């Protein structure tokens, strides 16, 4: 049942006393959280839990170390707290949070209707879940170092899964936006917006590439940065050419938005280079404040990206136009928790620079050569997936024509 339909029924004076969602959604924001099962509010609660867990991982890393964390040297598995703080501390917190969301993934997968037991478990029982999350967060600090390092190796794969899911979700959104604007229903209304948005996207792309040349290639010896930026410009041109091909005819909007994405990934990759690299522009005394602001923005952006990806389970459905029944769940619960589980691994990799033996400097996130190459490979993979999305319909159509009996 959608919120709009429920509110419409309440306005018309229909009897909603038999529907437990009527009282919940008719109350305040606090009432939606406190009373009964509510999958709409549950997703925000899980996001807050995800944020707090990652803040704890950051605190354990050592940027801000409360007194209580220094007492962990009393644990036998900590070996003088060196094995429980820093990089391994991040992995221990991440491991506990991952186990929690993986349990939620297993226990809620396959939920299709509201008011089922799985839906009630997903949307309520908050006291029990908080106790479980705290217990699972503390438990890894009693585990041996070898097991934590094994989890760190597995987290590399889980973080890659998150990046892939996020990429597919974004391309799915771009495709939806393009199809909506090109449809007969919205063609006249969206034509001007379509053109302005495309121009703005390409303008920002070119501006971003120019600024990267100015900031990150101060001398000709910065060959790696020159290659990254120039290759990004080439990929932008390639996506535009394929999109405008007569057989594809996808317009300027989708390559423009994808261009924004790959320019951002290129910028992130160069920014992830170690701070001692001479090709990075120095900002003097203001650099510390810029680093702190960038860290906070990256933290919040990560939570928002995980949340938006988690509720976009339709990007993996082969038939997105299926009619939704009133008692269908508003989003895939299992997929939601899977994204959060892989997102925990991804955030851990950002905090440790994708290297279990790497020491991160204070107020930094996703810094190191490993982080740089992860971003670059993600950029190239994004372009490959996007180009395949454009040419796949033509390939399948040509195969079908070839297989038809003459």
């Amino acid at each position: 049942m959608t919120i709009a339909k429920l509110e419409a029924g309440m306005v018309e004076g229909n009897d909603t006393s038999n529907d437990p969602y009527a009282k919940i959604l008719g109350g305040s924001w606090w009432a939606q959280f406190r009373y009964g099962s509510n999958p709409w509010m549950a997703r925000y609660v899980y996001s807050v839990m995800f944020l707090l867990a990652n803040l704890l991982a950051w605190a354990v890393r050592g940027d801000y170390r409360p007194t209580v964390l220094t007492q962990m040297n009393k644990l036998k598995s900590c070996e003088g707290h060196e094995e429980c703080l820093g990089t391994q501390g991040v992995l221990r917190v991440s491991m506990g949070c991952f186990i929690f969301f993986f349990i939620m993934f297993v226990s809620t997968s396959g939920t299709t209707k509201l008011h089922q037991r799985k839906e009630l478990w997903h949307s309520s029982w908050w006291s029990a879940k908080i106790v479980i999350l705290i217990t699972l967060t503390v438990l890894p600090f009693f585990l041996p170092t070898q097991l934590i390092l094994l989890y760190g190796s597995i987290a590399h794969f889980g973080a890659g899964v998150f990046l892939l899911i996020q990429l597919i979700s974004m391309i799915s959104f771009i495709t939806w936006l393009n199809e909506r604007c090109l449809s007969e229903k919205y063609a006249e209304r969206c034509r001007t917006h379509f053109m302005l948005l495309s121009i703005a996207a390409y303008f920002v792309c070119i501006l971003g590439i120019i600024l990267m040349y100015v900031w990150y290639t101060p001398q000709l010896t910065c060959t790696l940065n020159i290659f990254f930026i120039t290759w990004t410009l080439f990929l932008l041109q390639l996506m535009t050419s394929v999109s405008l091909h007569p057989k594809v005819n996808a317009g300027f909007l989708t390559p423009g938005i994808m261009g924004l994405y790959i320019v951002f990934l290129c910028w992130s990759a160069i920014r992830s280079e170690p701070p001692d690299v001479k090709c990075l522009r120095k900002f003097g005394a203001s650099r510390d404040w810029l680093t702190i602001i960038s860290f906070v923005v990256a933290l919040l952006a990560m939570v928002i990206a995980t949340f938006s990806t988690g509720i976009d389970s339709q990007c993996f459905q082969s038939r997105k136009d299926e009619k939704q029944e009133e008692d269908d769940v508003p989003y895939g619960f299992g997929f939601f928790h899977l994204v959060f589980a892989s997102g925990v691994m991804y955030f851990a990799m950002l905090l440790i620079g994708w290297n279990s033996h790497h020491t991160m400097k204070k107020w930094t996130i996703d810094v190191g050569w490993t982080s740089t190459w992860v971003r670059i490979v993600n950029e190239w993979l994004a372009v490959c997936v996007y180009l395949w999305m454009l040419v796949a319909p033509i390939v399948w159509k040509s195969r079908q024509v070839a297989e038809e009996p003459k």
Side-chain angles (χ1 to χ4, degrees):
M1 176 182 296
T2 61
I3 297 178
K5 290 182 178 180
L6 180 57
E7 291 178 346
M10 295 172 62
V11 172
E12 295 173 2
N14 293 339
D15 184 14
T16 58
S17 59
N18 294 328
D19 192 338
Y21 286 112
K23 181 179 179 179
I24 297 172
L25 295 177
S28 63
W29 186 92
W30 170 249
Q32 292 184 27
F33 167 71
R34 183 177 180 183
Y35 298 108
S37 169
N38 185 354
W40 294 279
M41 184 59 63
R43 55 189 181 181
Y44 296 104
V45 180
Y46 287 117
S47 299
V48 173
M49 297 168 69
F50 177 83
L51 173 62
L52 294 177
N54 287 313
L55 286 175
L56 177 61
W58 161 71
V60 171
R61 191 181 73 168
D63 291 18
Y64 173 73
R65 188 171 296 175
T67 305
V68 64
L69 295 180
T70 61
Q71 301 301 318
M72 290 191 300
N73 59 349
K74 298 180 181 180
L75 298 176
K76 294 182 179 181
S77 59
C78 290
E79 299 179 5
H81 80 69
E82 293 182 0
E83 302 296 337
C84 286
L85 298 179
T87 298
Q88 290 195 28
V90 173
L91 293 177
R92 292 175 189 270
V93 175
S94 174
M95 182 179 184
C97 193
F98 165 76
I99 295 175
F100 171 78
F101 282 110
F102 188 77
I103 292 175
M104 293 302 304
F105 161 69
V106 174
S107 59
T108 59
S109 295
T111 308
T112 57
K113 301 295 182 180
L114 298 174
H115 311 305
Q116 293 180 347
R117 290 184 178 181
K118 289 185 177 182
E119 187 270 321
L120 295 175
W121 165 241
H122 167 81
S123 306
S124 57
W125 294 87
W126 296 114
S127 299
K129 290 175 185 175
I130 292 175
V131 172
I132 293 174
L133 179 59
I134 294 176
T135 303
L136 292 175
T137 303
V138 174
L139 181 61
F141 287 94
F142 295 90
L143 299 178
T145 302
Q146 293 75 10
L147 190 58
I148 301 302
L149 293 179
L150 176 61
Y151 168 77
S153 300
I154 299 175
H156 285 82
F157 172 76
V161 171
F162 175 81
L163 288 174
L164 182 60
I165 294 175
Q166 191 179 49
L167 173 62
I168 295 175
S169 177
M170 179 177 180
I171 293 181
S172 176
F173 167 76
I174 294 175
T175 304
W176 170 84
L177 180 63
N178 188 61
E179 291 177 351
R180 186 177 180 87
C181 290
L182 294 179
S183 63
E184 296 182 359
K185 182 178 181 181
Y186 299 98
E188 293 295 332
R189 186 187 309 176
C190 292
R191 180 174 301 174
T192 303
H193 300 83
F194 189 94
M195 180 181 63
L196 293 177
L197 187 58
S198 301
I199 294 175
Y202 276 95
F203 175 79
V204 175
C205 288
I206 300 301
L207 178 63
I209 291 174
I210 294 175
L211 291 178
M212 284 192 291
Y213 274 122
V214 174
W215 289 345
Y216 304 128
T217 59
Q219 47 193 351
L220 294 179
T221 57
C222 301
T223 55
L224 186 60
N225 286 355
I226 293 175
F227 167 71
F228 287 159
I229 301 171
T230 305
W231 187 252
T232 300
L233 179 61
F234 169 75
L235 293 178
L236 175 62
Q237 176 62 38
L238 177 63
M239 291 189 300
T240 304
S241 301
V242 174
S243 179
L244 296 180
H245 192 277
K247 293 184 177 181
V248 177
N249 195 26
F252 284 97
L253 182 60
T254 56
I257 297 179
M258 277 299 299
L260 292 175
Y261 183 59
I262 65 172
V263 168
F264 169 76
L265 288 178
C266 181
W267 173 81
S268 300
I270 297 176
R271 288 284 297 174
S272 296
E273 295 176 358
D276 56 348
V277 176
K278 296 181 180 180
C279 294
L280 293 180
R281 184 178 180 182
K282 308 299 181 182
F283 291 91
S286 63
R287 182 175 177 83
D288 292 337
W289 285 107
L290 290 175
T291 302
I292 294 175
I293 293 174
S294 299
F295 177 85
V296 175
V297 171
L299 176 65
L300 296 177
M302 177 62 198
V303 176
I304 294 173
T306 307
F307 172 82
S308 59
T309 304
I311 61 177
D312 188 25
S313 57
Q314 290 187 350
C315 66
F316 287 88
Q317 294 180 1
S318 58
R319 298 181 61 185
K320 303 179 182 180
D321 55 348
E322 293 182 352
K323 184 178 180 181
Q324 187 177 20
E325 301 294 335
E326 291 186 354
D327 58 345
D328 286 344
V329 294
Y331 54 93
F333 297 158
F335 179 80
F336 178 85
H337 292 294
L338 177 63
V339 170
F340 271 69
S342 58
V344 168
M345 289 182 166
Y346 176 65
F347 202 91
M349 293 297 102
L350 297 186
L351 288 176
I352 68 175
W354 296 82
N355 190 341
S356 301
H357 305 284
H358 179 61
T359 301
M360 299 286 289
K361 291 187 177 181
K362 189 176 182 179
W363 294 107
T364 58
I365 186 171
D366 200 20
V367 174
W369 283 115
T370 306
S371 300
T372 296
W373 282 105
V374 167
R375 296 284 188 181
I376 290 298
V377 172
N378 188 26
E379 174 191 346
W380 298 346
L381 179 62
V383 174
C384 292
V385 173
Y386 172 74
L387 293 178
W388 173 248
M389 180 197 70
L390 293 180
V391 302
I394 301 175
V395 173
W396 296 125
K397 185 177 180 180
S398 61
R399 286 187 178 182
Q400 291 177 355
V401 172
E403 293 176 354
E404 291 180 356
K406 298 182 180 180

